[in-house]
Amino acid sequence: MDYEKYIFIGIGLIGGSFAIDIKKHYPDTVLHGISRKDETLNKALELKLIDKKATLDDLENADLVIVSIPVDATVKLLPTILDKIGDNTLVVDAGSTKEAICKSVEHHKRRRNFLACHPIAGTEKSGPTAAISGLYKGKTNIICEVEKTTFKLQEKALDLFRAIGMRIRYMDAVSHDKHIAYVSHLSHISAFMLGKTVINKEKNERDIFDMAGSGFESTVRLAKSSPAMWTPIFKQNKENVIETLEEYINNLQHFKELMQQDNFSEIFNEMENTNYIKQILNGIK
Amino acid sequence: MDYEKYIFIGIGLIGGSFAIDIKKHYPDTVLHGISRKDETLNKALELKLIDKKATLDDLENADLVIVSIPVDATVKLLPTILDKIGDNTLVVDAGSTKEAICKSVEHHKRRRNFLACHPIAGTEKSGPTAAISGLYKGKTNIICEVEKTTFKLQEKALDLFRAIGMRIRYMDAVSHDKHIAYVSHLSHISAFMLGKTVINKEKNERDIFDMAGSGFESTVRLAKSSPAMWTPIFKQNKENVIETLEEYINNLQHFKELMQQDNFSEIFNEMENTNYIKQILNGIK
């Protein structure tokens, strides 16, 4: 069998972790990398995430192109990528928003070569050194507008995702962006603003932080995330994110008012009702 | 050497985890348990967290009493505990608030037998089955008003805390309650209200939760915590907690306004500045 040519556009946590697992399950593929920064490519080569550097001109005879760059860059670059690929090239993305990305190529003559994906996997780290084996095992991959992709290329993508252990879920792009605002984007803002609140308050008393335990650490963890990745996500999902933020602020405001009114029996109820999250989280595992 | 008699008032996650490590480091002690619920005591016996059941009348000849019950119960019960102990009994607590607890016994004739402690350790679980070995290893124990405790009993407590691997930090009770509101109490409200927001929104679409990943799980984890434990903490630390909540809400509100104004460069800055939490969290480990 001829080797297959896979090209990663963006080879950080998401692309690099795909590369590790793909190499394991498809050892005959040759993995190429494209990145804005030569430093990133050199690091990816050094870590053996990719076998070779490439440029956009190499897309023409690629079998698979995996795009995992910030979502604003995806929206800008995706039409060019589709311009340059061959007839049988499959392009998948991994962006945390789907509507703007799908819209950017809705009328492209090669729309059927593109599969819009959102693998629900990651850590708060970024860059090629953050790439790990098994990141996607048991995780959900949300595929949007599947009917717009050539069936043969859908199959190719599904084989790959199943090989690395992913569960597949289909959804329309609008619903994806609405729900993901609640279960992912809001968590990031909640963590960032918690971090900000504590840093601002405690900036002159740094050693106060040894009062912080694993609970604080867990709640604030996402505040380590990359601003370069998250700013365009919030921008593209602005309306949904603002809606979640308003509801979150209202709930916090209500909690504060209950405290001011010394209505601690209702505060007890609020927490007890929310303990239901235990069952939900058990479902995630 | 004669065996020493240790009595746990409350034998859940906190007391039970102390019991496991104490038994390991001081195998000659005999561990007794007191609990409101006989079911809890039976479970603690079954799990071998304690050797025997006890009642408050057994306190008189106890060497050490460890109080780890909800902070409202501690405030109520602590004067009675000091009434009943012997001259050389050491009493320590583990409450997440310190001012009200210290105040409850400030004029007690046995105040010098009490050491006010807050071990910064725990999980979102509760009850005797949640007790684990090594919970306190490498964790900080905040001791308040140390000067009010007899020196010999301070030494006894420090020997114990060091044996199970704790770092000791001294602080006045007012400062403790102010700072802990930021680094612990606020995280819990932030997580509870995040859980509430998502549950309310998604209650009719439960299968949406397989869109949630490890990021959401981490941020919302504390929303599994026990309302019976946390309601009295918020009540006792009301003023400080309201202050932290106001600052948190203001920061979220500001973030929302930046989004409404399409000021994404400032949103980038907000997140980049908060990335400083990385260094802080490295310091916690």
Side-chain angles (χ1 to χ4, degrees):
Chain A
M1 166 183 137
D2 261 4
Y3 75 82
E4 290 217 315
K5 182 176 179 178
Y6 286 10
I7 299 185
F8 292 85
I9 301 182
I11 187 78
L13 164 69
I14 297 300
S17 298
F18 267 125
I20 292 171
D21 283 0
I22 286 173
K23 199 69 185 181
K24 195 158 57 186
H25 292 278
Y26 300 92
D28 289 335
T29 52
V30 180
L31 308 187
H32 297 67
I34 296 178
S35 172
R36 264 184 320 134
K37 293 189 213 160
D38 212 44
E39 188 192 334
T40 303
L41 277 188
N42 289 335
K43 179 55 82 177
L45 275 171
E46 184 193 320
L47 295 168
K48 298 192 193 321
L49 299 176
I50 52 171
D51 302 306
K52 294 180 179 181
K53 297 185 189 185
T55 68
L56 293 178
D57 291 330
D58 294 304
L59 294 175
E60 192 176 348
N61 53 10
D63 295 286
L64 171 65
V65 179
I66 296 182
V67 184
S68 50
I69 53 182
V71 292
D72 54 341
T74 301
V75 164
K76 267 189 218 142
L77 194 60
L78 194 54
T80 309
I81 293 169
L82 294 194
D83 289 345
K84 287 179 175 276
I85 57 174
D87 281 344
N88 299 312
T89 307
L90 166 67
V91 179
V92 303
D93 84 314
S96 188
T97 56
K98 293 270 73 67
E99 198 183 352
I101 289 171
C102 287
K103 210 172 166 57
S104 75
V105 292
E106 64 178 332
H107 302 301
H108 197 287
K109 67 179 199 302
R110 286 254 162 76
R111 173 63 186 86
R112 294 177 63 74
N113 292 62
F114 171 61
L115 188 68
C117 299
H118 181 194
I120 309 291
T123 71
E124 71 283 11
K125 295 177 187 156
S126 51
T129 55
I132 52 175
S133 166
L135 179 66
Y136 301 105
K137 198 174 162 62
K139 304 295 168 55
T140 302
N141 194 358
I142 301 174
I143 296 180
C144 294
E145 303 190 348
V146 66
E147 70 287 353
K148 296 195 178 172
T149 308
T150 305
F151 185 64
K152 206 178 68 183
L153 294 179
Q154 286 180 34
E155 282 186 310
K156 183 184 180 71
L158 290 185
D159 283 348
L160 171 69
F161 295 142
R162 286 193 190 123
I164 64 174
M166 301 202 85
R167 300 156 59 207
I168 304 299
R169 176 100 198 256
Y170 298 99
M171 193 173 276
D172 69 277
V174 171
S175 299
H176 168 277
D177 286 8
K178 175 172 163 284
H179 294 304
I180 207 72
Y182 281 90
V183 294
S184 166
H185 302 173
L186 178 60
S187 305
H188 283 79
I189 299 174
S190 146
F192 269 111
M193 292 303 100
L194 177 64
K196 180 184 175 183
T197 305
V198 177
I199 289 171
N200 278 359
K201 190 61 184 185
E202 306 290 0
K203 61 189 160 195
N204 298 316
E205 306 187 62
R206 298 221 176 136
D207 62 343
I208 290 309
F209 284 104
D210 60 5
M211 293 177 72
S214 57
F216 176 69
E217 193 174 356
S218 166
T219 319
V220 85
R221 178 170 70 85
L222 295 179
K224 300 183 196 173
S225 302
S226 157
M229 177 180 161
W230 280 94
T231 304
I233 291 173
F234 295 141
K235 192 171 177 178
Q236 285 186 15
N237 207 17
K238 178 180 159 179
E239 300 308 325
N240 288 315
V241 170
I242 286 176
E243 186 188 310
T244 68
L245 255 175
E246 276 170 356
E247 288 169 26
Y248 186 50
I249 290 169
N250 287 345
N251 285 329
L252 287 161
Q253 192 70 37
H254 179 63
F255 193 96
K256 193 189 85 175
E257 283 159 11
L258 290 174
M259 285 195 61
Q260 285 168 329
Q261 295 154 11
D262 287 317
N263 190 348
F264 289 98
S265 64
E266 190 52 33
I267 280 182
F268 182 97
N269 292 341
E270 291 263 314
M271 291 194 279
E272 194 172 46
N273 292 337
T274 307
N275 276 168
Y276 171 64
I277 205 79
K278 282 181 210 173
Q279 281 101 292
I280 292 172
L281 293 176
N282 284 340
I284 293 179
K285 295 257 176 148
Chain B
M1 166 184 137
D2 261 3
Y3 75 82
E4 292 217 311
K5 181 175 180 178
Y6 287 9
I7 299 185
F8 293 84
I9 302 183
I11 187 80
L13 165 69
I14 298 298
S17 298
F18 267 125
I20 292 171
D21 283 1
I22 286 172
K23 199 70 185 180
K24 194 156 60 184
H25 292 279
Y26 300 93
D28 289 336
T29 52
V30 180
L31 308 188
H32 297 66
I34 296 178
S35 172
R36 263 184 318 135
K37 293 188 214 158
D38 212 45
E39 186 194 334
T40 303
L41 276 188
N42 289 336
K43 180 54 83 175
L45 275 171
E46 183 193 321
L47 295 168
K48 297 192 193 320
L49 299 176
I50 53 171
D51 303 305
K52 294 181 181 181
K53 298 185 189 185
T55 69
L56 292 177
D57 291 330
D58 294 305
L59 294 174
E60 191 177 349
N61 53 11
D63 295 286
L64 172 65
V65 179
I66 296 182
V67 184
S68 48
I69 53 181
V71 294
D72 55 340
T74 302
V75 163
K76 267 188 220 143
L77 193 60
L78 194 54
T80 309
I81 293 168
L82 294 194
D83 289 346
K84 289 180 174 274
I85 57 173
D87 281 344
N88 299 311
T89 307
L90 166 67
V91 179
V92 304
D93 85 313
S96 187
T97 56
K98 291 272 73 71
E99 199 183 350
I101 289 171
C102 287
K103 211 171 165 58
S104 75
V105 291
E106 65 179 331
H107 303 301
H108 197 286
K109 67 179 199 302
R110 287 254 161 77
R111 172 65 184 85
R112 294 178 65 73
N113 292 62
F114 170 60
L115 188 68
C117 299
H118 181 194
I120 310 290
T123 71
E124 70 281 12
K125 297 177 186 155
S126 51
T129 54
I132 51 175
S133 167
L135 179 66
Y136 301 106
K137 198 172 162 62
K139 303 294 168 57
T140 302
N141 194 355
I142 300 175
I143 297 180
C144 293
E145 303 190 348
V146 66
E147 70 288 352
K148 296 193 178 171
T149 309
T150 306
F151 185 65
K152 208 178 65 183
L153 294 179
Q154 285 179 36
E155 281 186 310
K156 183 184 180 72
L158 291 185
D159 284 348
L160 170 70
F161 295 142
R162 286 193 189 121
I164 64 175
M166 301 203 84
R167 300 156 60 209
I168 304 299
R169 176 99 198 257
Y170 299 99
M171 194 173 277
D172 68 277
V174 171
S175 299
H176 168 276
D177 286 8
K178 177 172 163 283
H179 294 303
I180 207 73
Y182 281 90
V183 295
S184 167
H185 302 174
L186 178 59
S187 306
H188 284 78
I189 299 175
S190 144
F192 269 111
M193 291 302 101
L194 177 65
K196 180 184 174 182
T197 305
V198 177
I199 289 170
N200 279 0
K201 189 63 184 186
E202 307 288 1
K203 60 188 160 196
N204 297 318
E205 306 187 61
R206 298 224 176 134
D207 62 344
I208 289 309
F209 283 104
D210 59 7
M211 293 179 71
S214 58
F216 176 69
E217 192 173 358
S218 166
T219 318
V220 84
R221 178 170 69 86
L222 295 179
K224 300 181 196 174
S225 303
S226 156
M229 176 178 160
W230 280 94
T231 304
I233 291 173
F234 296 142
K235 190 171 178 179
Q236 286 187 14
N237 206 17
K238 177 180 159 180
E239 300 306 326
N240 288 316
V241 170
I242 287 175
E243 186 188 310
T244 68
L245 255 176
E246 276 170 355
E247 289 169 26
Y248 185 50
I249 291 169
N250 287 344
N251 286 328
L252 287 161
Q253 192 69 36
H254 178 64
F255 193 95
K256 192 189 85 176
E257 283 158 11
L258 290 175
M259 285 193 62
Q260 286 168 327
Q261 295 153 11
D262 286 316
N263 189 349
F264 289 98
S265 64
E266 190 52 33
I267 279 182
F268 183 97
N269 293 339
E270 290 263 313
M271 290 193 278
E272 194 172 47
N273 292 337
T274 307
N275 275 168
Y276 171 66
I277 206 80
K278 282 182 210 173
Q279 279 100 293
I280 292 171
L281 293 176
N282 284 340
I284 293 177
K285 296 256 177 149

